[in-house]
């Protein structure tokens, strides 16, 4: 769950046993192009500076990284999810092992990759320009605590690992229509999971009087602590809106029949967690925060800019990007594409939308606009 690590604070690094008080900028997320399990990342490091990257992967997969650099004193380390450089030991230390790593990953989560110069080179204020060849291969290990991406998985799952609502889509694709959204902690019936490219998708169904079925990203689902039957019909009907006599198929079997010619009481506002989705204008907005790569001046390398996105569904969203030096940019999306403007150049790169506005550049993953 990459969103949890995009706002990482500055951390200290210990190199070759000597504590060095340094600050690192927020880590840059590494996102593989659609259908690919690897990518090459170009970067640089100078003096005692640090450059960090974050990569999400699963337990049992193999992370492979090769650094090609123009400075023999530049290396990289790899840290486990949640580890703090300077306090926790690295899984891989380039300065003692070399610039090729192949690790069987011990747990699910976001792994920190840190590039740096050896202290002697840092004292001389040397520079290094490098390329990291990064790939993740192999299947994730089976885990009874999470939905199984390779098989049917548990009968019931809970939504977890995100701040906003999880999108349930008509097909296992981030471009498919959103049929409804469910909040964190929502319990769903799992009807089976499968791998589509690099993403695990699970076919799920809401536990409502009128269930809504669709596909959700498996990394945002975990097995319910105990597989239990759905709530009794009496309990569901008590929480759901009053039944409409004209739609008998949508009523629980034991729901009382409405008296003919009696006035139908007004329905309360639809709640996406336990009813069919309301018409789009009535749906609650989904707001999320994080960081994405941006550059605000000509010739400036990309760095992390904080963002706030408000999604209205169907690829419609308002994205506000805050510049590190002050100021901000607002970009509106319609049907998954940025709204056109005269000074804007837009291009697609895998699952990224790259937007240039004057001297500004923004790299926006599809997940920012479309959600889960």
């Amino acid at each position: 769950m990459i969103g949890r690590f995009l706002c990482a604070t500055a951390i200290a690094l210990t190199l070759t046993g000597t504590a060095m008080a340094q600050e690192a900028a927020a880590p840059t997320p590494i996102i593989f192009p659609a259908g690919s399990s690897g990518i090459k990342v170009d970067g640089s490091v100078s003096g005692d500076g640090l450059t960090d990257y974050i990569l999400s992967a699963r337990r049992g997969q193999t992370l492979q990284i090769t650094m090609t650099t123009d400075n023999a004193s530049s290396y990289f380390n790899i840290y486990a999810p949640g580890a703090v450089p300077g306090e926790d030991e690295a899984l891989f230390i380039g300065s003692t092992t070399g610039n090729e790593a192949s690790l069987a990953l011990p747990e699910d989560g976001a792994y920190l990759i840190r590039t740096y110069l050896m202290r002697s080179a840092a004292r001389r204020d040397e520079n290094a320009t490098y390329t990291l060849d990064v790939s993740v291969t192999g299947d994730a290990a089976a885990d009874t605590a999470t939905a199984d991406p390779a098989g049917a998985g548990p009968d019931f799952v809970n939504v977890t690992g995100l701040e906003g609502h999880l999108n349930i889509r008509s097909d296992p694709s981030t471009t498919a229509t959103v049929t409804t959204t469910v909040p964190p902690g929502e319990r769903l019936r799992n009807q089976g999971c499968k791998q589509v490219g690099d993403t695990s998708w699970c076919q799920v169904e809401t536990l409502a009087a009128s269930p809504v079925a669709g596909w959700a990203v498996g990394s945002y689902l975990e097995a319910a602590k105990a597989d239990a039957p759905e709530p009794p019909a009496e309990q569901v009907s008590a929480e759901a809106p009053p039944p409409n006599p004209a739609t008998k198929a949508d009523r629980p079997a034991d729901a009382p029949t409405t008296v003919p010619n009696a006035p139908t009481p007004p329905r309360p506002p639809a709640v996406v967690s336990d009813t069919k989705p309301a018409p789009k204008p009535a749906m609650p907005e989904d707001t999320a925060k994080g960081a994405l790569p941006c550059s605000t001046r000509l010739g400036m390398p990309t760095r992390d800019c904080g963002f706030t996105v408000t999604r209205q569904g169907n690829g419609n969203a308002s994205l506000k990007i805050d510049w590190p030096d002050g100021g901000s940019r607002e970009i509106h999306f319609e049907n998954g594409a940025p709204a056109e403007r005269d000074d804007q150049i837009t291009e697609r790169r895998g699952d990224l939308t790259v937007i240039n506005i004057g001297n500004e550049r923004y790299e926006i993953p599809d997940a920012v606009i479309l959600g889960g």
Side-chain angles (χ1 to χ4, degrees):
M1 301 98 196
I2 196 166
R4 296 181 182 178
F5 297 89
L6 293 177
C7 297
T9 54
I11 46 184
L13 171 69
T14 298
L15 292 178
T16 63
T18 303
M20 301 175 64
Q22 306 171 358
E23 284 191 354
T28 298
I30 295 178
I31 303 174
F32 296 152
S36 173
S37 61
I39 193 172
K40 291 186 177 181
V41 178
D42 295 325
S44 63
V45 65
S46 178
D48 61 359
L50 306 167
T51 302
D52 287 350
Y53 304 89
I54 280 288
L55 173 67
S56 292
R58 302 291 299 277
R59 180 173 70 88
Q61 293 183 312
T62 299
L63 170 60
Q64 295 178 308
I65 303 177
T66 300
M67 171 187 266
T68 303
T69 176
D70 62 2
N71 190 322
S73 295
S74 60
Y75 295 96
F76 67 92
N77 293 350
I78 304 174
Y79 295 86
V84 178
E87 299 179 12
D88 302 309
E89 184 177 354
L91 297 176
F92 174 87
I93 302 175
S95 59
T96 60
T97 310
N99 274 334
E100 292 188 12
S102 181
L103 293 178
L105 300 181
E107 58 183 301
D108 296 358
Y111 287 78
L112 178 70
I113 304 165
R114 166 160 289 185
T115 63
Y116 58 92
L117 286 168
M118 292 293 291
R119 188 170 185 180
S120 57
R123 285 173 173 170
R124 295 190 294 269
D125 201 27
E126 293 183 9
N127 302 311
T129 300
Y130 57 80
T131 297
L132 297 178
D133 192 344
V134 184
S135 65
V136 175
T137 58
D139 295 328
D143 190 342
T144 56
T146 60
D148 178 8
D155 292 337
F156 292 89
V157 292
N158 293 328
V159 178
T160 186
L162 75 172
E163 295 180 1
H165 284 53
L166 175 65
N167 289 332
I168 308 299
R169 299 182 179 274
S170 59
D171 293 295
S173 169
T174 55
T175 61
T177 302
V178 175
T179 59
T180 189
T181 61
V182 291
E186 182 76 0
R187 187 182 180 91
L188 304 170
R189 177 180 287 104
N190 180 31
Q191 298 175 324
C193 304
K194 68 178 182 178
Q195 195 77 13
V196 179
D198 295 329
T199 305
S200 168
W201 289 87
C202 295
Q203 191 171 23
V204 296
E205 184 179 74
T206 61
L207 303 181
S210 299
V212 178
W215 293 86
V217 175
S219 57
Y220 294 116
L221 303 172
E222 66 178 1
K225 297 303 181 183
D227 285 349
E230 62 185 286
E234 304 83 58
Q235 176 182 343
V236 173
S237 60
E239 298 176 354
N244 186 334
T247 55
K248 183 176 180 180
D250 292 336
R251 298 201 309 268
D254 56 353
T257 302
T258 304
V259 177
N261 301 322
T264 302
R267 290 175 177 266
V271 180
V272 296
S273 62
D274 58 7
T275 67
K276 297 181 76 172
K280 291 300 179 183
M283 287 184 67
E285 293 182 337
D286 176 14
T287 301
K289 295 184 178 182
L292 54 80
C294 82
S295 174
T296 55
R297 293 195 301 272
L298 187 64
M300 174 189 289
T302 57
R303 51 183 173 169
D304 277 355
C305 292
F307 72 79
T308 301
V309 61
T310 300
R311 310 183 187 104
Q312 293 88 31
N314 292 332
N316 299 327
S318 296
L319 175 65
K320 180 185 177 185
I321 304 171
D322 296 316
W323 300 336
D325 301 327
S328 63
R329 167 68 67 183
E330 291 194 10
I331 303 175
H332 298 282
F333 282 74
E334 298 176 0
N335 297 319
E340 295 182 0
R341 48 182 295 160
D342 293 339
D343 58 345
Q344 177 174 298
I345 300 175
T346 303
E347 60 178 313
R348 289 286 298 168
R349 293 187 179 181
D351 59 355
L352 290 178
T353 297
V354 180
I355 299 176
N356 291 275
I357 303 175
N359 293 330
E360 304 164 24
R361 175 184 175 88
Y362 306 97
E363 300 177 9
I364 305 170
D366 290 346
V368 171
I369 304 303
L370 302 175

